């Protein structure tokens, strides 16, 4: 018997990486103009972002279907394994509370460990990758849980959207923050707090300055870079993400950089042009 890590698709792990690591990904729904799609199954970033400007209203997202979640948990249990279910931040979504409810409906709830990632996108994905490594070598769940919580506490989420409009319309940042950003024509740097909520971190005058600020932040804050795979996720701005990765590698001796798409769930709220950076501090 072992542990199987399960995530929802808002972790934005590249598909080949999650498959290679044996991480189970449960799709999250995205509703676009009245039609509901399952992320990673029938809606993908390469189709989603080119259409974004044409949407008459912002796409809507919700937690995974409880039945789908229960089936995924039970399938892992049926193989004789315990479930390590890591879900999108409770500060951004009701997915975590839904997962807790579903756990209690399952045949062996004591073998389902539900964890609030307190994050989103690839930073949450990096947490899942670390958790997957931790459970493979831990002597007990208590030991594994303690290590996973330590990684979660150290994970840094910083990002710069092209505009605050989508986050404001979706209720993820205050209208005041959005108004100030538009008034001064600044590029905001945002972060996810230790409580799992989005808050402003800094403001700069241009996109180039925003990229420089991300490099400065990781230089100042990263812990043991030589041991870290850091993450960059991007929404329809791959070349900028690659340039950011190269600039970081010039200045910080990181072990590796994983670049992923910001998926349709997270991208529904941040919009195209968003770049995010994730590392442990």
């Amino acid at each position: 018997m072992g542990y199987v890590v399960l995530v929802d698709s808002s972790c934005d792990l590249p598909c080949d990486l999650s498959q290679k690591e044996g991480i189970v990904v449960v799709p999250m729904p995205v509703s676009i103009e009245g039609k509901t799609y399952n992320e990673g199954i029938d809606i993908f970033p390469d189709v989603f972002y080119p259409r974004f400007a044409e949407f008459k209203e912002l796409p809507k997202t919700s937690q995974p279907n409880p039945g789908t979640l229960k089936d995924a948990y039970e399938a892992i249990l049926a193989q004789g394994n315990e479930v390590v279910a890591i879900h999108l931040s409770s500060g951004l979504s009701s997915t975590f509370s839904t997962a807790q409810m579903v756990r209690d409906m399952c045949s062996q709830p004591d073998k389902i460990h539900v964890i609030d990632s307190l994050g989103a996108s690839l930073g949450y994905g990096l947490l899942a990758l670390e958790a997957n490594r931790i459970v493979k070598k831990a002597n007990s769940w208590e030991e594994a849980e303690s290590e996973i919580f330590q990684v979660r506490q150290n994970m840094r989420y910083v990002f710069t959207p092209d505009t605050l409009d989508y986050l404001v319309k979706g209720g993820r940042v205050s209208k005041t923050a959005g108004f100030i950003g538009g008034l001064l024509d600044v590029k905001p740097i945002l972060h996810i707090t230790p409580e799992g909520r989005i808050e402003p971190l800094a403001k700069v005058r241009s996109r180039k300055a925003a990229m420089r600020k991300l490099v400065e932040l990781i230089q100042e804050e990263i812990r043991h870079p030589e041991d870290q795979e850091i993450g960059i996720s991007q929404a329809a701005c791959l070349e900028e993400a690659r340039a950011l990765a190269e600039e970081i590698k010039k200045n910080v001796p990181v072990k590796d950089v994983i670049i992923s798409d910001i998926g349709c769930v997270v991208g529904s709220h941040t919009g195209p042009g968003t770049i995010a950076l994730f590392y442990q501090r």
Side-chain angles (χ1 to χ4, degrees), residues 49-66:
Y49 289 116
R51 292 177 52 198
F52 204 92
E54 302 168 9
F55 297 151
K56 294 174 184 175
E57 57 182 18
L58 281 181
K60 295 179 174 61
T61 63
S62 60
Q63 69 269 26
N65 179 283

Side-chain angles (χ1 to χ4, degrees), residues 27 50 79 103 112 141 170 209 233 243 255 263:
Q79 297 166 355
R103 174 194 59 199
I112 301 172
W141 170 247
S233 57
K255 182 178 178 182

Side-chain angles (χ1 to χ4, degrees), residues 52 103 124 127 136 156 172 180:
F52 204 92
R103 174 194 59 199
Y124 156 29
L127 171 62
K136 283 179 168 54
R156 184 69 154 137
R172 262 54 185 188
I180 291 172

Side-chain angles (χ1 to χ4, degrees), residues 189 202 204 208-218 220:
I189 308 290
V204 293
K208 285 185 178 180
M211 296 299 107
R212 286 197 300 271
K213 183 64 176 178
L214 293 181
V215 176
E216 289 171 9
L217 283 168
I218 191 171
E220 293 167 4

Side-chain angles (χ1 to χ4, degrees), residues 15 49 73 106 151 230:
C15 184
Y49 289 116
Y73 289 175
C106 287
V151 174
I230 68 163

Side-chain angles (χ1 to χ4, degrees), residues 255-273:
K255 182 178 178 182
D256 198 9
V257 181
I258 300 171
I259 298 178
S260 80
D261 294 318
I262 293 176
C264 308
V265 167
V266 175
S268 292
H269 302 286
T270 59

Side-chain angles (χ1 to χ4, degrees), residues 89 118-119 156-157 191-199 281:
S89 172
L118 298 176
R156 184 69 154 137
Y157 300 78
H191 70 135
I192 296 182
T193 68
E195 296 75 36
R197 298 183 181 90
I198 295 173
E199 290 187 0
R281 60 172 175 175

Side-chain angles (χ1 to χ4, degrees), residues 4-259:
V4 173
V5 173
L6 176 146
V7 294
D8 53 72
S9 59
S10 67
C11 71
D12 292 342
L13 275 174
C15 184
D16 57 346
L17 185 54
S18 59
Q19 289 178 349
K20 175 186 171 186
E21 297 294 331
I23 295 173
V24 175
V25 181
V26 175
M28 292 186 73
V30 182
S31 295
I32 303 171
E33 297 178 343
K35 184 174 180 179
T36 299
Y37 302 84
N38 286 307
E39 181 174 40
I41 295 177
D42 51 17
I43 188 71
F44 299 89
D46 61 345
V47 174
F48 180 73
Y49 289 116
R51 292 177 52 198
F52 204 92
E54 302 168 9
F55 297 151
K56 294 174 184 175
E57 57 182 18
L58 281 181
K60 295 179 174 61
T61 63
S62 60
Q63 69 269 26
N65 179 283
T68 302
L69 209 52
K70 185 173 185 290
D71 289 346
Y73 289 175
E74 291 287 7
I76 294 170
L77 294 172
Q79 297 166 355
N81 296 308
E82 296 191 23
V83 182
V84 181
I86 309 176
H87 289 292
L88 178 61
S89 172
S90 60
L92 302 173
S93 166
S94 59
T95 301
F96 174 65
S97 59
T98 297
Q100 290 178 307
M101 176 191 73
V102 169
R103 174 194 59 199
D104 295 339
M105 296 164 50
C106 287
S107 59
Q108 301 176 77
D110 58 313
K111 293 184 178 178
I112 301 172
H113 312 284
V114 180
I115 293 174
D116 185 350
S117 71
L118 298 176
S121 195
L122 187 56
Y124 156 29
L126 292 177
L127 171 62
L129 286 174
E130 284 299 315
N132 197 45
R133 291 162 189 155
I134 288 166
V135 296
K136 283 179 168 54
K137 62 180 178 60
N139 296 314
S140 67
W141 170 247
E142 290 73 23
E143 178 185 314
E145 184 180 49
S146 176
E147 287 191 49
I148 292 168
F149 284 171
Q150 188 63 52
V151 174
R152 183 181 70 175
Q153 180 180 322
N154 293 335
M155 190 60 68
R156 184 69 154 137
Y157 300 78
V158 290
F159 65 104
T160 181
D162 190 45
T163 172
L164 279 175
D165 289 350
Y166 306 119
L167 283 162
V168 171
K169 288 176 182 176
R172 262 54 185 188
V173 298
S174 72
K175 290 183 179 179
T176 302
F179 174 75
I180 291 172
L183 180 68
L184 300 180
D185 193 28
V186 299
K187 291 297 179 185
I189 308 290
L190 305 169
H191 70 135
I192 296 182
T193 68
E195 296 75 36
R197 298 183 181 90
I198 295 173
E199 290 187 0
L201 182 65
K203 294 172 185 174
V204 293
R205 286 291 182 180
S206 67
R207 181 74 163 186
K208 285 185 178 180
M211 296 299 107
R212 286 197 300 271
K213 183 64 176 178
L214 293 181
V215 176
E216 289 171 9
L217 283 168
I218 191 171
Q219 283 182 284
E220 293 167 4
E221 297 181 343
I222 194 167
R223 177 177 65 96
H224 303 306
E226 65 281 354
D227 297 329
Q228 282 200 50
E229 292 174 305
I230 68 163
I232 295 173
S233 57
Q234 55 81 34
C237 48
L238 179 57
E239 290 309 311
E240 282 185 293
R242 286 173 172 164
L244 176 62
E246 289 306 311
E247 191 63 24
I248 288 172
K249 285 191 279 191
K250 285 180 190 174
N251 292 278
V252 186
V254 294
K255 182 178 178 182
D256 198 9
V257 181
I258 300 171
I259 298 178

